[in-house]
Amino acid sequence: MTDEIKTKEELIAEVQQLRFKVFEMEKHLEYLSHFDTLTDLPNRALFIDRVEQYVTSARRYGFIMAVIFLGVDRFKMINQSFGHDLGDIVLKEISSRLAACVRDSDTVGRMSGDEFALILSKIAKEEDAVIVANKIISSMRKAFIVDGREISLSASVGITLYPSDGKDADTLTRNASTAMRRVKETTGDNYNFFTSMMNDMVSKRLTLESSLRKALERDEMHVFYQPQFDVSSQRVIGMEALIRWIHPEHGMISPLNFIPLAEETGLIVPIGEWVLRTACSQTKAWIDEYGPMRVGVNLSMRQFKEKNMIDTVSRALIDSGLDSKYLELELTESTAMHDADGTIAVINELKNLGITVSIDDFGTGYSSLSYLKNLPISTLKIDQSFIKSMTENKNDTAIVKAIINMAHSLTLNVIAEGVETEQHLNILGDLKCDEVQGYFFSKPLPVAEFEKLLKMSKKG
Ligand code: C2E
Ligand code: MG
Ligand code: MG
């Protein structure tokens, strides 16, 4: 036997080959410790690691994130009846259906045999997790066709939210799995939040949202009018249009309880347009009967930022025949102060149409006074909180006085909201406030009652 003597070059090549093999094996080991070989999805360890990473950034940037845990209902039966090979094909198909339910930046992982989990790394609100959960549930209901067989499945889904249901990856994942189990052990084919409070809150909001969508066509929305008075003559000079939702089961729902939701969902755009059109037509009819009066219509941020807002407003004026000088649009301070230059341009466009703009709830936001000076508005509406406490708190009277003086020096009209007592009215008279609105005179009234007031005021 002759010992083959290897050259130096041959030895180097061999070592390099070995190194490469070790590298490949390490890579494979790494893969095995982080990924599931059947589905190629991150395994439990890597998934938890990713949750931890997202928790860190959610904490830093103040995001809400969600962990969604999914268990396939009665999966054991599939394996028992059709065998493991077919079961594996189904699991692969499930993993691709799940990936299709989320954004590329969201992670899907396989937690154990028939359990998967997803991270929604950044959501705007709790209901967004419900949207994804529902997507998952319905994608699982579609029949799986394997080897010509049709297999029906369903999934149980548990949801946890950071930060309310857990502050670290382990807790969030564990609690999501507990929430999933609660569904699996009862009905299956549904989702559940870990916290029951969250279940109640989300289901209430979703119910509210779906009835809000139908409210307009079902004629449940009404516009009430609250009269505004000139302080010196104490005559009605106009009114504010205020929306009311009269729900068939829950009765009157305050705008404070549905405007924010309408704003979030974008429903404020059609609802607000309806208020505007209704208020313009009603005011035109009243002017024809009782003489000139101005109507204030509230515009929320979303409406104000709508691209065709100016068009919507001018169409409402044309269709109703109302002269634009009788329409005043109310913007809150935060709407007006958002995107300063854009706001000035839009208000100027309104002004060119002959429409006036007021700043509502003045004093509660953080107006920059130098910016206010440049806003082409005509009226400041002092927030009711200052008026209410004027009688108890000298500082509030001083604030009201300062707002009135400042407004006058900017040649703006001032109206005080929330005037509830004669004392309020007297102080405001002394401070030379121009106009008032509040329960002392009248609450917001339905059309027929407001009309009675106009009749009386015409006689008087
Ligand atoms: P706002 O525009 O500041 O309207 C004034 C609110 O003060 C009204 O509440 C009115 O009923 C209430 N109010 C008037 N006088 C008094 C008083 O003497 N005492 C007390 N305690 N309250 C008084 P409302 O009707 O509940 O409306 C609340 C808010 O909802 C409005 O505040 C406005 O921001 C919003 N809103 C109402 N209607 C609409 C609408 O059609 N579109 C939009 N975007 N927002 C609306
Ligand atoms: Mg208002
Ligand atoms: Mg107000």
Side-chain angles (χ1 to χ4, degrees):
M1 201 171 102
T2 55
D3 261 346
E4 209 180 291
I5 310 272
K6 290 185 177 167
T7 65
K8 192 175 160 198
E9 285 72 22
E10 278 172 336
L11 278 169
I12 290 173
E14 218 164 81
V15 167
Q16 261 170 350
Q17 240 173 7
L18 278 171
R19 272 203 187 131
F20 184 70
K21 265 193 191 147
V22 169
F23 173 72
E24 288 281 283
M25 275 165 73
E26 272 176 358
K27 241 175 52 179
H28 190 62
L29 275 175
E30 162 97 4
Y31 173 83
L32 288 179
S33 63
H34 288 127
F35 288 88
D36 164 52
T37 45
L38 176 69
T39 59
D40 273 341
L41 291 176
N43 65 12
R44 174 180 278 272
L46 180 60
F47 182 86
I48 303 259
D49 219 50
R50 296 251 175 103
V51 176
E52 202 59 67
Q53 281 171 27
Y54 286 120
V55 163
T56 308
S57 71
R59 186 181 301 129
R60 180 173 311 149
Y61 300 108
F63 299 152
I64 311 179
M65 60 170 271
V67 174
I68 294 187
F69 207 103
L70 172 147
V72 185
D73 297 329
R74 295 173 304 278
F75 189 75
K76 273 203 191 87
M77 271 175 43
I78 306 282
N79 274 341
Q80 280 164 4
S81 333
F82 304 110
H84 284 267
D85 289 348
L86 191 140
D88 282 355
I89 298 174
V90 172
L91 288 171
K92 272 186 168 166
E93 170 68 16
I94 291 175
S95 71
S96 44
R97 287 191 191 184
L98 289 179
C101 289
V102 292
R103 295 174 300 194
D104 286 347
S105 56
D106 297 326
T107 300
V108 182
R110 183 169 178 210
M111 307 305 278
S112 66
D114 59 355
E115 292 179 339
F116 296 82
L118 301 91
I119 311 169
L120 308 183
S121 53
K122 185 180 162 193
I123 54 174
K125 51 183 189 314
E126 293 78 2
E127 288 89 329
D128 292 350
V130 175
I131 295 173
V132 178
N134 277 330
K135 240 183 180 175
I136 292 173
I137 292 166
S138 49
S139 91
M140 291 289 292
R141 282 187 198 136
K142 283 190 206 109
F144 290 78
I145 316 281
V146 185
D147 274 354
R149 273 182 244 260
E150 202 176 298
I151 298 169
S152 297
L153 283 177
S154 63
S156 296
V157 169
I159 308 169
T160 43
L161 299 168
Y162 171 85
S164 51
D165 293 328
K167 305 248 185 302
D168 61 80
D170 273 330
T171 316
L172 281 168
T173 314
R174 192 168 5 94
N175 289 349
S177 138
T178 306
M180 179 280 284
R181 226 155 288 286
R182 282 205 295 254
V183 182
K184 205 169 184 175
E185 283 158 13
T186 51
T187 56
D189 193 27
N190 208 341
Y191 71 85
N192 197 3
F193 276 97
F194 178 67
T195 335
S196 61
M197 205 181 68
M198 201 57 81
N199 280 327
D200 293 349
M201 195 192 87
V202 168
S203 84
K204 272 202 190 110
R205 277 179 66 134
L206 288 172
T207 318
L208 186 69
E209 185 182 325
S210 84
S211 44
L212 188 58
R213 280 186 196 282
K214 296 173 202 136
L216 269 187
E217 57 195 63
R218 291 186 179 166
D219 285 334
E220 292 167 10
M221 292 296 183
H222 302 263
V223 179
F224 277 31
Y225 297 88
Q226 187 176 35
Q228 297 169 330
F229 292 79
D230 177 71
V231 173
S232 39
S233 69
Q234 302 214 358
R235 296 186 78 89
V236 179
I237 42 100
M239 61 276 179
E240 177 171 2
L242 292 158
I243 193 168
R244 294 291 177 267
W245 180 8
I246 303 175
H247 191 281
E249 283 160 46
H250 309 305
M252 179 106 78
I253 304 179
S254 160
L256 298 173
N257 292 332
F258 69 84
I259 295 282
L261 180 65
E263 176 89 7
E264 242 174 57
T265 51
L267 286 169
I268 192 65
V269 175
I271 292 175
E273 181 174 350
W274 174 80
V275 171
L276 181 73
R277 298 182 72 86
T278 309
C280 286
S281 312
Q282 186 58 71
T283 306
K284 163 73 175 146
W286 280 336
I287 289 176
D288 290 349
E289 180 82 23
Y290 304 99
M293 64 188 91
R294 179 194 66 204
V295 65
V297 176
N298 295 286
L299 275 199
S300 71
M301 173 93 85
R302 183 99 171 223
Q303 288 173 272
F304 186 70
K305 299 281 169 212
E306 270 288 292
K307 266 209 253 25
N308 52 359
M309 187 273 289
I310 302 274
D311 262 10
T312 307
V313 176
S314 30
R315 260 189 296 112
L317 286 170
I318 293 166
D319 293 349
S320 63
L322 179 71
D323 187 327
S324 59
K325 69 179 177 204
Y326 297 121
L327 176 62
E328 182 155 278
L329 296 176
E330 302 192 1
L331 306 180
T332 60
E333 270 181 288
S334 45
T335 303
M337 297 298 143
H338 188 257
D339 172 26
D341 296 338
T343 301
I344 294 181
V346 176
I347 300 183
N348 268 325
E349 272 188 76
L350 291 168
K351 204 176 166 183
N352 290 340
L353 291 174
I355 298 161
T356 54
V357 171
S358 65
I359 301 296
D360 202 357
D361 305 340
F362 187 78
T364 55
Y366 39 88
S367 292
S368 134
L369 294 182
S370 61
Y371 170 53
L372 187 73
K373 180 182 80 189
N374 296 321
L375 272 187
I377 53 165
S378 63
T379 306
L380 283 191
K381 298 191 78 181
I382 308 177
D383 189 66
Q384 45 179 284
S385 57
F386 298 109
I387 310 301
K388 266 195 195 124
S389 47
M390 265 190 327
T391 42
E392 296 131 40
N393 188 335
K394 282 214 165 55
N395 284 342
D396 275 1
T397 313
I399 291 175
V400 172
K401 185 178 175 183
I403 296 177
I404 295 172
N405 291 341
M406 180 195 65
H408 285 161
S409 63
L410 294 172
T411 63
L412 299 177
N413 189 37
V414 191
I415 174 159
E417 283 190 294
V419 176
E420 292 187 347
T421 65
E422 192 162 14
Q423 208 183 351
H424 291 156
L425 180 64
N426 291 337
I427 302 175
L428 289 163
D430 291 345
L431 298 177
K432 303 270 178 297
C433 184
D434 306 296
E435 294 165 12
V436 282
Q437 171 184 350
Y439 294 172
F440 177 64
F441 295 97
S442 167
K443 289 198 165 183
L445 300 171
V447 170
E449 283 184 47
F450 192 86
E451 203 153 330
K452 277 188 208 154
L453 188 119
L454 289 175
K455 274 194 185 120
M456 269 174 20
S457 138
K458 197 177 183 184
K459 275 190 211 145

